[in-house]
Amino acid sequence: MDYVTVCGLEVHTELATKTKIFCNCTTEFGGEPNTHVCEICSGMPGTLPVVNKRVVEFAVRTGLALNCEITRYNKFDRKNYFYPDLPKAYQISQLYLPICRNGWVEINDSVNGGKKKVRIHEIHMEEDAGKLVHDDWTDCTLVNYNRCGVPLLEIVSEPDIASADEAVEYVEKLRAILQFCGVSDCKMQEGSLRADVNVSVMEKGAKEFGTRTEMKNINSFKAIHNAIEAETERQIELIEDGEKVVQETRRWDDSKGVSTSMRSKEDAQDYKYFPEPDLPPIKLSEEYIEGIRSTLPELPEAKKARYISDYSLTE
Ligand SMILES: [Zn+2]
């Protein structure tokens, strides 16, 4: 039997703003644990968030560079989950009216040849979580909130990616565009760019997608490639053995080259989203959006095309 891979990516990118998304703490990487924190990003009762306007500007900039529609009236929502990396016990994100929708990135079609578009379903703004440090020596888990509240864009693709090579090319293109626009340093080793990878397989010619699994926080091109190839193989083996693929979140271990089951996949309803009452909706004028468009640099693809035509260079 012939199978096709169906893959969609959720790429998280930390924005290169000086301060966090809802407070004045620095976004600088590293530092002594729990020194880049204040009463807002550590979730003290009675504090209120204020949106960093540079985050909105960078989100619009990214959306325009990725051929998106900009949502003139967008707002924040509360994503509730109880985990020590977020002291408020909820993350401020966007679900119902994300700031950008319906974009695309062009890549090489690894199956049919030529070019194809990977559609972008949406881009939303949200805050990053802190980091848990599992300390084997003292057999406990420590928490570092320096990263808590660092602004993130989540760029959600449609399941238009058909191979590990396409996924890598898509993330490479995204990274180049984000860097050209100056919105993120995209340092994968520091977690400024990381991908959640959704994979399913189906028989060639089938109309319905197979059951998908998700692998979270993959932060190198090699790991993205390996994870998709290994997960495709694992799912095909299950199907050929007459077993079922379970919808779940899996942890990819790149050094071992295997993924292991983490938990059953959450749906949006598990997070009990509701509109964030502490932040007003954001209204964007045409003038504001066009002002940002006018400052966009020449993007990688346009630059490449110009070099090829003006200097007769090969691709
Ligand atoms: Zn803070």
Side-chain angles (χ1 to χ4, degrees):
M1 199 66 79
D2 261 354
Y3 293 90
V4 288
T5 306
V6 179
C7 174
L9 296 186
E10 291 162 24
V11 173
H12 287 91
T13 185
E14 283 183 352
L15 295 178
T17 54
K18 287 203 170 69
T19 54
K20 292 186 179 179
I21 184 168
F22 301 122
C23 66
N24 281 325
C25 291
T26 178
T27 57
E28 208 179 304
F29 181 76
E32 283 293 303
N34 298 310
T35 54
H36 304 170
V37 285
C38 69
E39 61 277 23
I40 293 171
C41 58
S42 61
M44 294 294 161
T47 58
L48 288 170
V50 176
V51 179
N52 181 341
K53 71 177 176 187
R54 187 71 83 180
V55 172
V56 178
E57 183 192 320
F58 279 8
V60 172
R61 204 168 162 73
T62 304
L64 292 172
L66 295 175
N67 311 295
C68 291
E69 295 159 13
I70 309 299
T71 314
R72 267 56 173 176
Y73 181 89
N74 67 88
K75 60 186 186 58
F76 286 100
D77 302 295
R78 212 175 259 199
K79 179 180 182 177
N80 296 281
Y81 71 92
F82 188 68
Y83 200 62
D85 62 359
L86 254 185
K88 296 198 298 292
Y90 59 85
Q91 178 190 33
I92 302 179
S93 181
Q94 296 193 298
L95 177 73
Y96 302 106
L97 292 170
I99 190 159
C100 310
R101 279 183 172 141
N102 302 328
W104 50 266
V105 171
E106 195 176 68
I107 62 165
N108 291 304
D109 188 326
S110 69
V111 179
N112 305 306
K115 302 274 184 192
K116 71 186 250 186
K117 280 177 182 170
V118 175
R119 292 167 298 155
I120 290 168
H121 182 264
E122 66 173 77
I123 303 175
H124 57 257
M125 303 180 282
E126 61 186 26
E127 55 184 334
D128 209 345
K131 243 184 194 162
L132 297 183
V133 183
H134 305 288
D135 191 334
D136 292 335
W137 183 249
T138 54
D139 195 24
C140 68
T141 296
L142 304 167
V143 66
N144 179 357
Y145 289 134
N146 284 359
R147 197 178 66 178
C148 202
V150 167
L152 285 181
L153 291 184
E154 181 172 336
I155 303 167
V156 183
S157 87
E158 297 285 356
D160 291 343
I161 295 163
S163 68
D165 286 344
E166 287 187 9
V168 168
E169 192 192 346
Y170 168 73
V171 181
E172 279 174 348
K173 288 254 159 96
L174 264 187
R175 183 176 70 163
I177 293 167
L178 294 166
Q179 287 175 330
F180 268 55
C181 290
V183 298
S184 174
D185 63 18
C186 296
K187 287 184 184 162
M188 295 179 96
Q189 68 279 14
E190 292 183 3
S192 313
L193 189 74
R194 46 193 206 256
D196 298 348
V197 179
N198 289 286
V199 180
S200 68
V201 297
M202 59 182 183
E203 282 174 22
K204 207 169 183 178
K207 295 252 169 355
E208 236 173 84
F209 289 161
T211 305
R212 69 192 163 96
T213 60
E214 181 175 46
M215 292 172 285
K216 281 188 178 292
N217 286 322
I218 303 183
N219 63 355
S220 80
F221 289 115
K222 181 177 133 285
I224 291 171
H225 194 275
N226 293 347
I228 293 171
E229 294 232 302
E231 184 56 16
T232 301
E233 255 173 58
R234 191 188 69 87
Q235 292 187 12
I236 290 172
E237 266 173 37
L238 280 176
I239 295 166
E240 303 240 293
D241 289 349
E243 290 176 52
K244 278 212 165 79
V245 177
V246 182
Q247 187 178 330
E248 63 185 353
T249 301
R250 301 180 66 82
R251 178 182 286 118
W252 173 248
D253 183 334
D254 201 48
S255 57
K256 295 199 182 102
V258 292
S259 64
T260 45
S261 179
M262 260 170 86
R263 54 175 187 262
S264 63
K265 171 89 180 98
E266 304 84 354
D267 280 320
Q269 64 198 20
D270 296 323
Y271 291 115
K272 301 178 179 70
Y273 277 96
F274 61 87
E276 171 55 56
D278 289 341
L279 288 164
I282 298 171
K283 284 187 192 172
L284 302 176
S285 67
E286 293 307 309
E287 202 185 355
Y288 174 81
I289 294 166
E290 292 313 310
I292 293 173
R293 195 194 299 277
S294 70
T295 65
L296 278 180
E298 183 179 39
L299 294 172
E301 285 299 303
K303 186 170 221 163
K304 192 165 106 183
R306 185 166 61 79
Y307 273 46
I308 290 170
S309 76
D310 289 8
Y311 305 110
S312 309
L313 296 177
T314 63
E315 174 116 354

